[in-house]
Amino acid sequence: MRVRKFGLLMVSTLVLAACGNTATGPSSPDYKLSNVTLPLKDKVTLKFTTGSSPLAPADPNDKLIYKRLEEATNVHIDWTNYSTDFAEKRNLDISSGDLPDAFINASASDVDLIKWAKNGVIVPLEELIDQHMPNLKKILDENPQYRAMITAPDGHIYSLPWIEELGADKESIHSVNGMAWINVDWLKKLGLEMPKTTEDLVKVLEAFKNDDPNGNGQADEIPLSFINNGGNEDFKILMGAFGIGDNDDHLVVGNDKKVDFTADNEEYKEGIKFMRDLYERGLLDSEAFEQDWNTYIAKGSEHRYGVYFTWDKANVTGMNDSYDVLPVLAGPSGKKHITRTNNFGFQRGRAVITSANKNLELTAKWLDEMYKPVQSVQNNWGTYGDDTQQNIFEYDEATQSLKHLPLEGTAPGELRQKTEVGGPLAILDEYYGKVTTMPDDAKWRLDLMHEHYVPFMNNDYNYPRVFMQVEDLETIELIEADLMEYVNRKRSEWIVNGNIDGEWKEYLSELERFRLPEWLKIKQQYFDDYIANQE
């Protein structure tokens, strides 16, 4: 603990030193522009730092979206682009004093935003929004919940958001992360019915292991695979069969409006014992606790999985009829339950403007271009009219709208990573049918969720995206650093080594020592305040 505090102190000291030295950083000179109208008469350069996929061009200016934006604004962006370890490299730049004009795709947590603001690394944006960002201001005026969500407890706005509306409440596309997919070809080959209970699943997985469903005479089938604690590729969706279930935050809200930590419940223990049983039977992928994404999709592309987990099967096993959604399973109690995530189509810290920026009005107006509806849609998914690669859209000049093109078997995530630019944007539900069509894969996924999952989302609430006071943010961050690491480590140990019953009492004591009650108290306080403000 002393090392962590010392590390934070050192970073804060370096940041303060950096803020006194921003004039030497890689920001643009003062162009002394006011009453800016885009496109500019004479081209100027702004300097931004961003992060993008390794699949994307190393120079973001090679993306057609940015080429068009430069033509439309006459503003050239000199990019520093990190395709790996973005947050670490971003923090090194900040601590060394190398501040660009802005960070795009900033990956800024609430703690980051508050600390950067406190230390003078970034500037407040609310006046820039109201005076120079009419596209974003319109969105915030018409959707005041988003203005509230990006406003810090001190009343300032320090970052620009990413907003993607795709359904609402339980029917939001974000209400479930990793879906469970089952190999229906193998079911048919072995004459098996679709599992309806956890007991059925065990029998099916054993048949997948022992009865050579791929017909090659080798025992190379993998009954069930996942990426341990891997977000969309984790097995958490199965935990709902045993009670309240689990999600990435280990946090749910009951219909009594009580915040509940999932990983200290008896139901959670029963779910882990179920996974331990699968492990003992040899039904789990032997690499599940160490494999990365590339290994996972390599095996998936060979259709070696009986059951696996991901957002969209097209990214792992392809868009074909070999895999279908595994229905919600009834557990020992007979009840079916899907645990909602605490995710929204919203991220608070997608872009920040630094204190080194000498061209605030120009930067604000360039960033506001990102919130034009047709621009936002392209930022999020990709563009049209690219002669060098597959396009996401076709553009209708008459209606000035975008129509999603068929993916033609291409993994949507891979194609979008090559062409999208991310960054701050807003896509509202009202845009569908007017500005753009809904992506075919999103409509398909929403339909699957509505059919299979939504009827079994028994909780009416999930945890909102509240912006906590800095003291509470720092406390939550400090607690979670130890608490979540311990919970996730013990989960893996119990699945591989067993003995959860023997260690459970000690485990609960450790959660107390890691300040779980304090964590819950803070979370409950902010949820109560949020509900009170909604009523």
Side-chain angles (χ1 to χ4, degrees):
M1 300 296 288
R2 291 177 181 172
V3 172
R4 182 177 292 108
K5 289 180 180 178
F6 177 73
L8 289 173
L9 178 61
M10 286 296 292
V11 169
S12 298
T13 302
L14 287 168
V15 168
L16 287 169
C19 295
N21 193 34
T22 53
T24 63
S27 57
S28 299
D30 186 354
Y31 298 118
K32 302 189 183 304
L33 299 175
S34 60
N35 299 317
V36 171
T37 300
L38 298 177
L40 298 176
K41 180 179 179 181
D42 299 311
K43 182 173 290 189
V44 300
T45 296
L46 294 174
K47 297 184 179 183
F48 293 168
T49 294
T50 191
S52 65
S53 166
L55 297 176
D59 183 355
N61 284 322
D62 290 335
K63 291 184 175 182
L64 185 54
I65 292 174
Y66 279 139
K67 289 180 179 179
R68 288 198 180 110
L69 197 55
E70 181 167 334
E71 292 175 2
T73 63
N74 212 19
V75 177
H76 175 76
I77 306 299
D78 183 359
W79 294 98
T80 297
N81 178 38
Y82 298 129
S83 59
T84 60
D85 303 319
F86 173 76
E88 179 181 348
K89 293 173 181 175
R90 174 205 66 194
N91 290 343
L92 287 173
D93 286 346
I94 290 173
S95 64
S96 67
D98 289 336
L99 291 180
D101 294 312
F103 288 98
I104 310 297
N105 291 327
S107 299
S109 69
D110 290 352
V111 173
D112 290 331
L113 294 176
I114 295 299
K115 288 182 178 177
W116 294 346
K118 180 180 179 181
N119 294 327
V121 175
I122 58 177
V123 299
L125 304 178
E126 60 272 7
E127 291 187 6
L128 290 174
I129 292 171
D130 289 340
Q131 295 175 15
H132 303 303
M133 302 186 71
N135 296 310
L136 177 57
K137 184 177 186 300
K138 180 176 185 291
I139 292 167
L140 299 181
D141 288 349
E142 295 177 357
N143 302 272
Q145 71 274 21
Y146 290 127
R147 184 180 289 271
M149 290 166 74
I150 62 175
T151 301
D154 65 2
H156 290 299
I157 295 172
Y158 293 111
S159 62
L160 302 178
W162 169 87
I163 302 168
E164 181 196 70
E165 294 183 347
L166 273 166
D169 298 323
K170 293 182 181 181
E171 298 193 19
S172 166
I173 200 169
H174 304 283
S175 62
V176 171
N177 280 349
M179 298 172 68
W181 305 91
I182 188 167
N183 193 322
V184 291
D185 286 347
W186 289 5
L187 289 176
K188 293 175 184 176
K189 174 73 179 297
L190 300 179
L192 300 170
E193 293 184 358
M194 183 70 76
K196 296 181 177 63
T197 68
T198 51
E199 289 185 358
D200 292 343
L201 179 63
V202 174
K203 294 174 182 177
V204 165
L205 295 178
E206 287 187 321
F208 286 170
K209 175 187 177 183
N210 299 320
D211 297 345
D212 192 26
N214 66 11
N216 67 356
Q218 301 177 32
D220 58 351
E221 294 88 351
I222 301 172
L224 187 146
S225 189
F226 55 91
I227 299 177
N228 189 46
N229 292 314
N232 295 341
E233 286 66 49
D234 191 75
F235 63 78
K236 289 187 181 73
I237 197 167
L238 295 183
M239 299 286 283
F242 300 91
I244 65 170
D246 197 15
N247 55 33
D248 288 340
D249 306 313
H250 303 304
L251 177 67
V252 297
V253 181
N255 290 339
D256 59 359
K257 301 180 184 178
K258 297 300 182 185
V259 172
D260 194 357
F261 185 69
T262 60
D264 65 347
N265 288 270
E266 288 293 321
E267 299 151 333
Y268 175 85
K269 181 169 71 170
E270 293 306 308
I272 299 304
K273 289 167 73 172
F274 173 74
M275 296 302 295
R276 167 63 182 170
D277 180 59
L278 297 184
Y279 182 88
E280 288 185 298
R281 294 170 185 262
L283 302 178
L284 302 187
D285 189 342
S286 61
E287 297 180 314
F289 292 93
E290 59 188 25
Q291 65 187 345
D292 60 12
W293 170 253
N294 291 329
T295 303
Y296 192 65
I297 62 172
K299 291 182 290 188
S301 66
E302 297 173 351
H303 289 196
R304 294 178 60 196
Y305 298 146
V307 173
Y308 74 98
F309 308 87
T310 198
W311 176 275
D312 181 341
K313 69 176 182 178
N315 293 319
V316 180
T317 53
M319 183 55 72
N320 51 59
D321 295 330
S322 296
Y323 288 83
D324 201 353
V325 176
L326 176 69
V328 181
L329 302 176
S333 72
K335 185 178 180 179
K336 297 182 178 181
H337 177 62
I338 287 293
T339 308
R340 296 174 64 181
T341 71
N342 297 312
N343 293 335
F344 302 79
F346 172 84
Q347 293 178 9
R348 200 163 6 242
R350 269 301 178 99
V352 294
I353 298 177
T354 76
S355 57
N357 191 309
K358 306 173 189 67
N359 302 280
L360 295 177
E361 179 184 341
L362 173 62
T363 303
K365 289 188 173 178
W366 188 92
L367 288 168
D368 193 50
E369 293 291 302
M370 308 291 264
Y371 287 100
K372 287 183 175 178
V374 169
Q375 182 70 41
S376 281
V377 170
Q378 294 175 80
N379 289 355
N380 201 45
W381 286 308
T383 193
Y384 63 92
D386 194 329
D387 297 329
T388 64
Q389 60 184 321
Q390 185 175 345
N391 287 286
I392 292 287
F393 295 105
E394 63 180 10
Y395 183 64
D396 187 325
E397 289 280 358
T399 62
Q400 296 185 338
S401 65
L402 296 160
K403 178 182 178 182
H404 278 86
L405 293 170
L407 290 167
E408 299 177 347
T410 304
E414 180 178 333
L415 178 57
R416 289 166 186 160
Q417 287 175 61
K418 292 178 180 178
T419 59
E420 70 191 5
V421 301
L425 60 88
I427 300 172
L428 307 180
D429 276 335
E430 65 194 57
Y431 291 3
Y432 299 115
K434 297 178 181 179
V435 179
T436 181
T437 56
M438 185 177 288
D440 289 343
D441 57 305
K443 177 64 166 60
W444 167 77
R445 190 179 194 272
L446 282 168
D447 289 344
L448 289 175
M449 287 175 53
H450 189 270
E451 176 185 357
H452 293 285
Y453 292 160
V454 173
F456 303 105
M457 293 179 186
N458 299 302
N459 290 32
D460 294 332
Y461 303 97
N462 58 0
Y463 199 81
R465 195 62 57 86
V466 294
F467 207 145
M468 295 183 178
Q469 297 281 350
V470 62
E471 297 83 2
D472 294 323
L473 277 171
E474 291 176 343
T475 298
I476 290 291
E477 181 187 43
L478 192 62
I479 292 173
E480 287 185 349
D482 294 320
L483 177 68
M484 297 305 181
E485 187 279 332
Y486 177 70
V487 168
N488 294 335
R489 174 169 57 82
K490 292 306 295 182
R491 188 187 83 153
S492 300
E493 290 178 2
W494 285 329
I495 294 172
V496 174
N497 302 320
N499 198 32
I500 189 171
D501 283 327
E503 298 180 2
W504 188 250
K505 185 176 180 180
E506 179 186 355
Y507 170 75
L508 295 180
S509 296
E510 284 294 282
L511 296 184
E512 293 270 342
R513 189 174 70 82
F514 286 133
R515 302 165 65 187
L516 174 60
E518 184 179 357
W519 184 88
L520 280 168
K521 182 179 179 180
I522 294 172
K523 293 286 188 177
Q524 186 71 58
Q525 171 196 331
Y526 279 93
F527 181 80
D528 291 345
D529 291 345
Y530 172 83
I531 291 297
N533 289 331
Q534 301 300 304
E535 296 175 344

Short mmCIF file of all heavy atoms in Angstrom, two decimals, residues 99-145:
data_model
loop_
_atom_site.label_atom_id
_atom_site.label_comp_id
_atom_site.label_asym_id
_atom_site.label_seq_id
_atom_site.Cartn_x
_atom_site.Cartn_y
_atom_site.Cartn_z
N LEU A 99 2.61 17.77 -23.52
CA LEU A 99 1.17 17.89 -23.70
C LEU A 99 0.84 18.34 -25.11
O LEU A 99 1.30 19.38 -25.57
CB LEU A 99 0.61 18.90 -22.70
CG LEU A 99 0.63 18.51 -21.22
CD1 LEU A 99 0.03 19.63 -20.39
CD2 LEU A 99 -0.12 17.22 -20.99
N PRO A 100 0.00 17.57 -25.81
CA PRO A 100 -0.51 18.02 -27.10
C PRO A 100 -1.63 19.03 -26.89
O PRO A 100 -1.94 19.41 -25.75
CB PRO A 100 -1.05 16.72 -27.71
CG PRO A 100 -1.54 15.96 -26.51
CD PRO A 100 -0.56 16.28 -25.39
N ASP A 101 -2.27 19.44 -27.96
CA ASP A 101 -3.42 20.33 -27.82
C ASP A 101 -4.60 19.60 -27.21
O ASP A 101 -5.40 20.18 -26.47
CB ASP A 101 -3.83 20.90 -29.18
CG ASP A 101 -2.76 21.80 -29.77
OD1 ASP A 101 -2.27 22.68 -29.03
OD2 ASP A 101 -2.40 21.62 -30.95
N ALA A 102 -4.74 18.30 -27.52
CA ALA A 102 -5.87 17.53 -27.01
C ALA A 102 -5.52 16.05 -27.07
O ALA A 102 -4.65 15.62 -27.84
CB ALA A 102 -7.13 17.81 -27.83
N PHE A 103 -6.21 15.29 -26.24
CA PHE A 103 -6.18 13.83 -26.31
C PHE A 103 -7.51 13.36 -26.86
O PHE A 103 -8.57 13.68 -26.30
CB PHE A 103 -5.94 13.20 -24.93
CG PHE A 103 -4.56 13.37 -24.40
CD1 PHE A 103 -4.27 14.37 -23.48
CD2 PHE A 103 -3.53 12.51 -24.79
CE1 PHE A 103 -2.98 14.52 -22.97
CE2 PHE A 103 -2.24 12.67 -24.30
CZ PHE A 103 -1.97 13.67 -23.39
N ILE A 104 -7.48 12.61 -27.94
CA ILE A 104 -8.67 12.05 -28.57
C ILE A 104 -8.67 10.55 -28.32
O ILE A 104 -7.62 9.91 -28.33
CB ILE A 104 -8.68 12.34 -30.09
CG1 ILE A 104 -8.42 13.82 -30.36
CG2 ILE A 104 -10.00 11.88 -30.72
CD1 ILE A 104 -9.47 14.75 -29.80
N ASN A 105 -9.88 9.96 -28.13
CA ASN A 105 -9.94 8.58 -27.63
C ASN A 105 -9.12 8.50 -26.35
O ASN A 105 -8.26 7.62 -26.18
CB ASN A 105 -9.43 7.57 -28.65
CG ASN A 105 -10.36 7.44 -29.84
OD1 ASN A 105 -11.57 7.57 -29.71
ND2 ASN A 105 -9.79 7.20 -31.01
N ALA A 106 -9.40 9.42 -25.44
CA ALA A 106 -8.51 9.68 -24.32
C ALA A 106 -8.45 8.56 -23.29
O ALA A 106 -7.52 8.51 -22.50
CB ALA A 106 -8.93 10.97 -23.62
N SER A 107 -9.46 7.67 -23.28
CA SER A 107 -9.51 6.58 -22.30
C SER A 107 -9.37 7.12 -20.87
O SER A 107 -8.69 6.53 -20.03
CB SER A 107 -8.42 5.54 -22.57
OG SER A 107 -8.59 4.95 -23.83
N ALA A 108 -9.99 8.23 -20.60
CA ALA A 108 -9.85 8.90 -19.31
C ALA A 108 -10.91 8.39 -18.33
O ALA A 108 -12.11 8.47 -18.62
CB ALA A 108 -9.97 10.41 -19.47
N SER A 109 -10.47 7.88 -17.22
CA SER A 109 -11.38 7.51 -16.15
C SER A 109 -11.82 8.75 -15.39
O SER A 109 -11.25 9.84 -15.55
CB SER A 109 -10.70 6.53 -15.19
OG SER A 109 -9.67 7.19 -14.46
N ASP A 110 -12.82 8.59 -14.53
CA ASP A 110 -13.25 9.72 -13.71
C ASP A 110 -12.11 10.19 -12.81
O ASP A 110 -11.94 11.40 -12.60
CB ASP A 110 -14.45 9.31 -12.85
CG ASP A 110 -15.71 9.11 -13.68
OD1 ASP A 110 -15.68 9.43 -14.88
OD2 ASP A 110 -16.71 8.62 -13.12
N VAL A 111 -11.34 9.26 -12.28
CA VAL A 111 -10.19 9.63 -11.44
C VAL A 111 -9.19 10.44 -12.25
O VAL A 111 -8.67 11.46 -11.79
CB VAL A 111 -9.53 8.39 -10.84
CG1 VAL A 111 -8.24 8.75 -10.10
CG2 VAL A 111 -10.49 7.67 -9.89
N ASP A 112 -8.93 10.00 -13.49
CA ASP A 112 -8.03 10.76 -14.36
C ASP A 112 -8.52 12.19 -14.54
O ASP A 112 -7.75 13.15 -14.39
CB ASP A 112 -7.93 10.09 -15.74
CG ASP A 112 -7.19 8.77 -15.74
OD1 ASP A 112 -6.30 8.59 -14.88
OD2 ASP A 112 -7.50 7.92 -16.60
N LEU A 113 -9.79 12.32 -14.89
CA LEU A 113 -10.34 13.65 -15.18
C LEU A 113 -10.21 14.58 -13.99
O LEU A 113 -9.79 15.74 -14.13
CB LEU A 113 -11.81 13.52 -15.59
CG LEU A 113 -12.09 12.80 -16.91
CD1 LEU A 113 -13.58 12.67 -17.14
CD2 LEU A 113 -11.43 13.51 -18.09
N ILE A 114 -10.55 14.08 -12.81
CA ILE A 114 -10.49 14.94 -11.62
C ILE A 114 -9.05 15.31 -11.29
O ILE A 114 -8.74 16.47 -10.97
CB ILE A 114 -11.15 14.23 -10.43
CG1 ILE A 114 -12.65 14.05 -10.68
CG2 ILE A 114 -10.93 15.01 -9.14
CD1 ILE A 114 -13.42 15.33 -10.87
N LYS A 115 -8.14 14.33 -11.38
CA LYS A 115 -6.74 14.63 -11.08
C LYS A 115 -6.13 15.57 -12.11
O LYS A 115 -5.41 16.51 -11.75
CB LYS A 115 -5.94 13.32 -11.02
CG LYS A 115 -6.23 12.48 -9.79
CD LYS A 115 -5.37 11.24 -9.77
CE LYS A 115 -5.63 10.43 -8.50
NZ LYS A 115 -4.84 9.16 -8.47
N TRP A 116 -6.42 15.33 -13.37
CA TRP A 116 -5.88 16.22 -14.40
C TRP A 116 -6.42 17.64 -14.23
O TRP A 116 -5.68 18.61 -14.41
CB TRP A 116 -6.24 15.69 -15.79
CG TRP A 116 -5.59 14.39 -16.14
CD1 TRP A 116 -4.55 13.77 -15.51
CD2 TRP A 116 -5.97 13.52 -17.22
NE1 TRP A 116 -4.25 12.58 -16.12
CE2 TRP A 116 -5.10 12.40 -17.18
CE3 TRP A 116 -6.94 13.57 -18.22
CZ2 TRP A 116 -5.18 11.35 -18.09
CZ3 TRP A 116 -7.02 12.53 -19.14
CH2 TRP A 116 -6.15 11.44 -19.07
N ALA A 117 -7.70 17.74 -13.91
CA ALA A 117 -8.27 19.08 -13.70
C ALA A 117 -7.64 19.75 -12.50
O ALA A 117 -7.26 20.94 -12.55
CB ALA A 117 -9.78 18.96 -13.52
N LYS A 118 -7.50 19.02 -11.42
CA LYS A 118 -6.92 19.57 -10.19
C LYS A 118 -5.50 20.04 -10.41
O LYS A 118 -5.07 21.08 -9.88
CB LYS A 118 -6.98 18.51 -9.09
CG LYS A 118 -6.41 18.96 -7.75
CD LYS A 118 -6.51 17.85 -6.72
CE LYS A 118 -5.92 18.27 -5.38
NZ LYS A 118 -5.99 17.17 -4.37
N ASN A 119 -4.75 19.29 -11.23
CA ASN A 119 -3.34 19.61 -11.46
C ASN A 119 -3.12 20.50 -12.67
O ASN A 119 -1.97 20.76 -13.04
CB ASN A 119 -2.54 18.31 -11.62
CG ASN A 119 -2.49 17.50 -10.35
OD1 ASN A 119 -2.49 18.06 -9.25
ND2 ASN A 119 -2.45 16.18 -10.47
N GLY A 120 -4.18 20.96 -13.28
CA GLY A 120 -4.04 21.91 -14.38
C GLY A 120 -3.61 21.31 -15.69
O GLY A 120 -3.14 22.03 -16.58
N VAL A 121 -3.79 20.03 -15.87
CA VAL A 121 -3.41 19.38 -17.14
C VAL A 121 -4.45 19.65 -18.22
O VAL A 121 -4.11 19.83 -19.38
CB VAL A 121 -3.25 17.86 -16.92
CG1 VAL A 121 -2.98 17.13 -18.25
CG2 VAL A 121 -2.13 17.59 -15.93
N ILE A 122 -5.74 19.70 -17.84
CA ILE A 122 -6.81 19.92 -18.80
C ILE A 122 -7.61 21.14 -18.39
O ILE A 122 -7.52 21.62 -17.26
CB ILE A 122 -7.73 18.69 -18.91
CG1 ILE A 122 -8.33 18.33 -17.55
CG2 ILE A 122 -6.95 17.51 -19.49
CD1 ILE A 122 -9.32 17.16 -17.59
N VAL A 123 -8.42 21.65 -19.32
CA VAL A 123 -9.18 22.88 -19.08
C VAL A 123 -10.68 22.56 -19.05
O VAL A 123 -11.14 21.61 -19.68
CB VAL A 123 -8.89 23.93 -20.17
CG1 VAL A 123 -7.41 24.30 -20.16
CG2 VAL A 123 -9.32 23.43 -21.55
N PRO A 124 -11.46 23.36 -18.31
CA PRO A 124 -12.92 23.21 -18.34
C PRO A 124 -13.46 23.53 -19.72
O PRO A 124 -12.93 24.39 -20.44
CB PRO A 124 -13.41 24.22 -17.30
CG PRO A 124 -12.22 24.55 -16.47
CD PRO A 124 -11.03 24.40 -17.37
N LEU A 125 -14.56 22.87 -20.08
CA LEU A 125 -15.06 22.97 -21.45
C LEU A 125 -16.46 23.56 -21.56
O LEU A 125 -16.93 23.78 -22.68
CB LEU A 125 -15.08 21.57 -22.09
CG LEU A 125 -13.76 20.80 -22.11
CD1 LEU A 125 -13.95 19.41 -22.73
CD2 LEU A 125 -12.69 21.57 -22.87
N GLU A 126 -17.14 23.82 -20.44
CA GLU A 126 -18.55 24.19 -20.54
C GLU A 126 -18.75 25.50 -21.32
O GLU A 126 -19.70 25.62 -22.11
CB GLU A 126 -19.21 24.27 -19.16
CG GLU A 126 -18.60 25.27 -18.20
CD GLU A 126 -17.45 24.72 -17.39
OE1 GLU A 126 -17.00 23.57 -17.66
OE2 GLU A 126 -16.98 25.44 -16.49
N GLU A 127 -17.86 26.49 -21.14
CA GLU A 127 -18.01 27.74 -21.89
C GLU A 127 -17.69 27.53 -23.36
O GLU A 127 -18.35 28.12 -24.24
CB GLU A 127 -17.12 28.82 -21.28
CG GLU A 127 -17.57 29.28 -19.91
CD GLU A 127 -16.77 30.46 -19.40
OE1 GLU A 127 -15.94 30.99 -20.17
OE2 GLU A 127 -16.96 30.86 -18.23
N LEU A 128 -16.70 26.71 -23.64
CA LEU A 128 -16.39 26.40 -25.04
C LEU A 128 -17.57 25.71 -25.71
O LEU A 128 -17.89 25.98 -26.88
CB LEU A 128 -15.15 25.51 -25.12
CG LEU A 128 -13.81 26.16 -24.74
CD1 LEU A 128 -12.70 25.12 -24.73
CD2 LEU A 128 -13.47 27.29 -25.71
N ILE A 129 -18.21 24.79 -25.00
CA ILE A 129 -19.37 24.10 -25.55
C ILE A 129 -20.48 25.08 -25.86
O ILE A 129 -21.07 25.09 -26.95
CB ILE A 129 -19.85 23.00 -24.58
CG1 ILE A 129 -18.82 21.87 -24.47
CG2 ILE A 129 -21.20 22.43 -25.03
CD1 ILE A 129 -19.10 20.86 -23.38
N ASP A 130 -20.79 25.94 -24.90
CA ASP A 130 -21.91 26.86 -25.07
C ASP A 130 -21.64 27.93 -26.12
O ASP A 130 -22.56 28.39 -26.80
CB ASP A 130 -22.27 27.51 -23.73
CG ASP A 130 -22.91 26.53 -22.76
OD1 ASP A 130 -23.42 25.48 -23.23
OD2 ASP A 130 -22.88 26.78 -21.54
N GLN A 131 -20.38 28.32 -26.28
CA GLN A 131 -20.07 29.42 -27.19
C GLN A 131 -19.62 28.95 -28.57
O GLN A 131 -19.87 29.65 -29.56
CB GLN A 131 -18.95 30.28 -26.58
CG GLN A 131 -19.37 30.99 -25.30
CD GLN A 131 -18.22 31.75 -24.66
OE1 GLN A 131 -17.18 31.98 -25.26
NE2 GLN A 131 -18.40 32.15 -23.39
N HIS A 132 -18.97 27.78 -28.65
CA HIS A 132 -18.32 27.40 -29.91
C HIS A 132 -18.64 26.00 -30.41
O HIS A 132 -18.06 25.58 -31.41
CB HIS A 132 -16.79 27.53 -29.74
CG HIS A 132 -16.32 28.88 -29.32
ND1 HIS A 132 -16.60 30.02 -30.04
CD2 HIS A 132 -15.61 29.28 -28.22
CE1 HIS A 132 -16.06 31.07 -29.43
NE2 HIS A 132 -15.47 30.65 -28.33
N MET A 133 -19.55 25.29 -29.74
CA MET A 133 -19.83 23.91 -30.15
C MET A 133 -21.34 23.73 -30.30
O MET A 133 -21.99 23.03 -29.52
CB MET A 133 -19.25 22.92 -29.14
CG MET A 133 -17.74 23.05 -28.94
SD MET A 133 -17.02 21.76 -27.86
CE MET A 133 -17.14 20.32 -28.92
N PRO A 134 -21.93 24.32 -31.33
CA PRO A 134 -23.39 24.26 -31.47
C PRO A 134 -23.95 22.86 -31.68
O PRO A 134 -25.07 22.58 -31.25
CB PRO A 134 -23.67 25.15 -32.69
CG PRO A 134 -22.36 25.19 -33.44
CD PRO A 134 -21.30 25.13 -32.39
N ASN A 135 -23.20 21.99 -32.34
CA ASN A 135 -23.70 20.62 -32.55
C ASN A 135 -23.83 19.88 -31.23
O ASN A 135 -24.87 19.25 -30.95
CB ASN A 135 -22.78 19.86 -33.50
CG ASN A 135 -22.75 20.47 -34.89
OD1 ASN A 135 -23.78 20.73 -35.49
ND2 ASN A 135 -21.54 20.72 -35.39
N LEU A 136 -22.78 19.94 -30.41
CA LEU A 136 -22.84 19.27 -29.12
C LEU A 136 -23.83 19.96 -28.19
O LEU A 136 -24.57 19.30 -27.46
CB LEU A 136 -21.45 19.22 -28.48
CG LEU A 136 -21.38 18.61 -27.07
CD1 LEU A 136 -21.93 17.19 -27.06
CD2 LEU A 136 -19.94 18.64 -26.54
N LYS A 137 -23.85 21.28 -28.21
CA LYS A 137 -24.77 22.02 -27.34
C LYS A 137 -26.22 21.62 -27.63
O LYS A 137 -27.03 21.44 -26.69
CB LYS A 137 -24.60 23.52 -27.52
CG LYS A 137 -25.46 24.36 -26.58
CD LYS A 137 -25.19 25.84 -26.77
CE LYS A 137 -25.95 26.68 -25.74
NZ LYS A 137 -27.42 26.50 -25.81
N LYS A 138 -26.56 21.44 -28.87
CA LYS A 138 -27.92 21.03 -29.24
C LYS A 138 -28.25 19.67 -28.65
O LYS A 138 -29.34 19.45 -28.10
CB LYS A 138 -28.07 21.00 -30.76
CG LYS A 138 -29.44 20.59 -31.26
CD LYS A 138 -29.50 20.70 -32.79
CE LYS A 138 -30.91 20.41 -33.31
NZ LYS A 138 -31.30 18.99 -33.14
N ILE A 139 -27.31 18.75 -28.73
CA ILE A 139 -27.52 17.41 -28.17
C ILE A 139 -27.72 17.50 -26.66
O ILE A 139 -28.63 16.87 -26.12
CB ILE A 139 -26.32 16.51 -28.51
CG1 ILE A 139 -26.28 16.23 -30.02
CG2 ILE A 139 -26.37 15.19 -27.73
CD1 ILE A 139 -24.98 15.63 -30.50
N LEU A 140 -26.89 18.28 -25.99
CA LEU A 140 -26.98 18.38 -24.54
C LEU A 140 -28.25 19.12 -24.10
O LEU A 140 -28.86 18.77 -23.09
CB LEU A 140 -25.75 19.09 -23.98
CG LEU A 140 -24.40 18.42 -24.24
CD1 LEU A 140 -23.28 19.22 -23.61
CD2 LEU A 140 -24.38 16.99 -23.74
N ASP A 141 -28.66 20.13 -24.87
CA ASP A 141 -29.87 20.87 -24.53
C ASP A 141 -31.11 19.99 -24.68
O ASP A 141 -32.06 20.07 -23.88
CB ASP A 141 -30.01 22.11 -25.41
CG ASP A 141 -29.02 23.20 -25.05
OD1 ASP A 141 -28.36 23.09 -23.99
OD2 ASP A 141 -28.86 24.15 -25.85
N GLU A 142 -31.11 19.16 -25.71
CA GLU A 142 -32.27 18.31 -25.97
C GLU A 142 -32.24 17.02 -25.17
O GLU A 142 -33.27 16.33 -25.05
CB GLU A 142 -32.35 17.99 -27.47
CG GLU A 142 -32.61 19.22 -28.33
CD GLU A 142 -32.62 18.92 -29.81
OE1 GLU A 142 -32.36 17.76 -30.19
OE2 GLU A 142 -32.91 19.85 -30.60
N ASN A 143 -31.08 16.68 -24.61
CA ASN A 143 -30.92 15.47 -23.82
C ASN A 143 -30.17 15.83 -22.54
O ASN A 143 -28.99 15.50 -22.38
CB ASN A 143 -30.16 14.40 -24.61
CG ASN A 143 -30.83 14.04 -25.92
OD1 ASN A 143 -31.68 13.17 -25.97
ND2 ASN A 143 -30.44 14.73 -26.99
N PRO A 144 -30.82 16.53 -21.63
CA PRO A 144 -30.12 17.07 -20.46
C PRO A 144 -29.47 16.01 -19.58
O PRO A 144 -28.57 16.33 -18.80
CB PRO A 144 -31.22 17.83 -19.71
CG PRO A 144 -32.50 17.28 -20.21
CD PRO A 144 -32.24 16.90 -21.64
N GLN A 145 -29.90 14.76 -19.71
CA GLN A 145 -29.26 13.71 -18.91
C GLN A 145 -27.79 13.58 -19.26
O GLN A 145 -26.96 13.27 -18.40
CB GLN A 145 -29.97 12.37 -19.08
CG GLN A 145 -29.79 11.68 -20.43
CD GLN A 145 -30.79 12.12 -21.49
OE1 GLN A 145 -31.37 13.20 -21.37
NE2 GLN A 145 -30.99 11.29 -22.50
#
